[in-house]
Amino acid sequence: MKKKILAAVVLVVILAGGGLYFLKNRDTAVKFKTEAVARGDLRAAVTATGTVSAVTTVLVGTQVSGTIKEIFVDYNSPVKKGQLLAQIDPALSEAKVAQAKANLLSAEASVSKAEVALQDARRTMERNRSLFSRNFIAASDLDTAETNERSAAAQLNVAKAQVEQARAALQQEETNLRYTRILSPVNGTVISRNVDIGQTVAASFQTPTLFSIAQDLTQMQIDTNVDEADIGRIQVGQAVQFNVDAYPDVTFKGRVSEVRNAPTTVQNVVTYDVVIKVANPDFKLKPGMTANVSIITDFLQGVLKIPNAALRFKWTSDKTSQTKGTGAGVGTGRGVQTAAGDGSGSRARGVWVLKDQTPVRVPVTLGISDGNFTVVLSGGLKEGDPVIVESSASPAKNSASPRFGPPGFLR
């Protein structure tokens, strides 16, 4: 019985010693995740969203009111400049033209009548002058004749003015009659039709839009809204890549054609309109599509680059390792992640490189970033060096050691 008790005590002691050893090792075991410094291409870009539209879209309306009698085009119809698109019932306009012609004829007849009256007044005046010179009539009769002649001349001028007025009215009615024929002002494609046969259009207060014509669908543009923090990096002529939801596997290309200075403020967010010109020879892009745009601001080839996670990692050691001057301790150190810079401009930073299972800080000077990698301009790094991007305890320590969430946050 005593032997069984002794054996149990020995077993408990062994288990306790193993547990203490296990706990001790668990508290000191730290693992590092590294990535090799690589050399390659890096592209910095400003992302935005925009809407695809035709470079020139013409809204075709009407200047006269009436009922749509005929429509000769429909959606997606190609049209030429001067082509008939629709016809408004011309009956009322034709009647007005006929009335204006009649008014013109009446005014011209009034001119003829006034000319005859002027000739008669002049003959009377000349006759009275001859009689007055021979003292056959009084001076008052001569004055009356002269007055009648001048009055007839003035009446002729009035009649001639009425002719011009009637002619102008006729031109106006003839113009309105021509406006009943809705013609295309440009070459292009009909992208919208807003009327049907039998519909009445009223142009009294505002010109109604009947058709929308895209002048050239082989050349499109994208109007994007770029945040004020990024607008300083945008320049005319920069290359652009974008995708649309209709073709998720196709990357379209274009160039920045205009950076408009007029700001747009929505809920205290200031953006600027950047216009991008795009070739569309295959007519894949259609007006109204949403484009996810990347404006390439910088592109470097064959540069040394490191992952941004390495910039967010920082190693802190215990007091013992610090007093030894190593700056890092493998046994009891702890990894902490801090936020990295935005990758713009040159700046001095430091990264941690794993050498002989020991983190060693290496100062570097950084360049541009694409959000995932950052260019190394100078420093002690070389291609292939393992930079630390994350540290964690051994699997036995997972429940007690601090864990890390997304870069820049502790969890």
Side-chain angles (χ1 to χ4, degrees), residues 7 37 39 88 137 141 192 197 268 279 293 299 312 316 364 385 407:
V37 178
R39 187 174 295 276
I88 297 177
I137 62 173
D141 294 334
S192 71
I197 294 178
N268 296 327
V293 177
F299 181 74
R312 295 189 290 265
T316 57
V364 292
D385 285 347

Side-chain angles (χ1 to χ4, degrees), residues 11 58 130 162 212 219 282 284 292 326 360 379 392 399:
L11 181 59
V58 180
S130 176
Q162 290 175 346
S212 296
Q219 298 294 327
D282 299 330
K284 288 185 176 180
N292 301 311
T326 62
V360 177
S392 62
S399 61

